[in-house]
Amino acid sequence: MKIAILLLLNFSIMAQMPFLQGHRGCRGLFPENSLPAFEHALGMGVQVLEMDVCLSADGQVVVSHEPYMNSLYASHPSGEPVLKSEESALNLFRMTYAEIRTYDVGKRGNRLFPEQRAVAAVKPLLRDVLAMGEAFRKKTGKPIYYNIEIKSDPAEYGKSQPAAVADFSKAVHAVIAEAVDWKFVVLQSFDFDVLRYWNKVWPKVSLSALVDNESPSHVVTELGFTPAIYSSSYKQLDASRIAYCHSNGMQVIPWTVNARVDIQKMIDLGVDGLITDYPDRSPKLP
């Protein structure tokens, strides 16, 4: 009976979420985690925006994959490229948002993504991304969903993020609660301490356990509860793992599936959604 209720709860929470998620907006096409990327993804028909969040020195929730300026694509206010040797000093948690937004993160492009358009961009605030998505929803009538990853690492507690996951979580929760109905939100993290905290304090929020190769049974045991979503590298998925998840009340949403052949393989395996840098390569757009 308990398992049946769990199945019903998790699947009802996620039942309306579209299949395709634009990874960091659409990193393969526009600068990652930027307003131009999220805007382009929405214009393509993507209805689930996947993103990462960090905190600034003044407590602002910043949309960024790393808690520092990445030398692959970031530029100083002077226009000079950020060097690899400078990354650790450009710690977002030690910079105010006013300082952060003076750095460009798009006009150099990204050599790892040759199709990415080089355009000027800054690391946006979470509230601004949510405002864009909600404005698009009101304009078009389409439901827009948000898969928000708290970029947390126990090795970085008190260094590039707050010492307590509670402080990080409360800051993120406050921004989301002010902007969006929770039925359109998934909170994800690789840090299981973050997920445990959210499950305890805000148990109605849909949670996604991000993993590389951990089996779904191991995830449930380690977490101490069953998350709504099991989100592993697509390379680690097979039919047995997907079957286990579905029989135990979890949806399966792999990351980051970019090749068309791999996208089709995941669809054929029966995943519930997928995260991709290239939404234009998926047959699952509206």
Side-chain angles (χ1 to χ4, degrees), residues 168-286:
F168 199 165
S169 297
K170 288 174 183 176
V172 175
H173 185 276
V175 173
I176 300 171
E178 192 173 277
V180 184
D181 190 314
W182 284 100
K183 69 183 178 182
F184 298 112
V185 176
V186 168
L187 191 287
Q188 61 177 351
S189 188
F190 280 98
D191 187 343
F192 282 14
D193 284 340
V194 168
L195 297 179
R196 292 189 197 97
Y197 181 83
W198 280 71
N199 185 60
K200 178 181 178 181
V201 180
W202 303 295
K204 293 184 179 180
V205 177
S206 298
L207 301 178
S208 176
L210 285 168
V211 298
D212 185 7
N213 190 31
E214 293 87 347
S215 70
S217 59
H218 174 80
V219 167
V220 171
T221 299
E222 186 177 345
L223 271 178
F225 69 91
T226 302
I229 301 167
Y230 170 79
S231 189
S232 74
S233 166
Y234 76 94
K235 297 176 183 179
Q236 312 303 334
L237 275 181
D238 57 28
S240 63
R241 286 193 171 188
I242 294 172
Y244 178 92
C245 289
H246 288 169
S247 64
N248 285 275
M250 289 180 283
Q251 291 202 338
V252 180
I253 301 179
W255 54 267
T256 303
V257 197
N258 286 338
R260 285 186 172 87
V261 62
D262 294 322
I263 290 172
Q264 189 59 54
K265 179 181 178 180
M266 292 297 104
I267 292 172
D268 292 343
L269 277 174
V271 298
D272 302 286
L274 58 81
I275 300 168
T276 180
D277 290 316
Y278 298 93
D280 56 331
R281 296 179 182 178
S282 173
K284 284 280 190 173
L285 275 172

Side-chain angles (χ1 to χ4, degrees), residues 66-89:
E66 300 87 15
Y68 56 83
M69 292 295 172
N70 193 318
S71 59
L72 269 174
Y73 49 81
S75 300
H76 286 281
S78 65
E80 291 297 311
V82 168
L83 303 177
K84 185 71 176 177
S85 60
E86 297 175 308
E87 288 182 341
S88 60

Side-chain angles (χ1 to χ4, degrees), residues 20-33:
L20 193 66
Q21 301 194 17
H23 186 234
R24 308 185 198 177
C26 52
R27 179 173 59 164
L29 306 174
F30 273 79
E32 66 176 69
N33 280 322

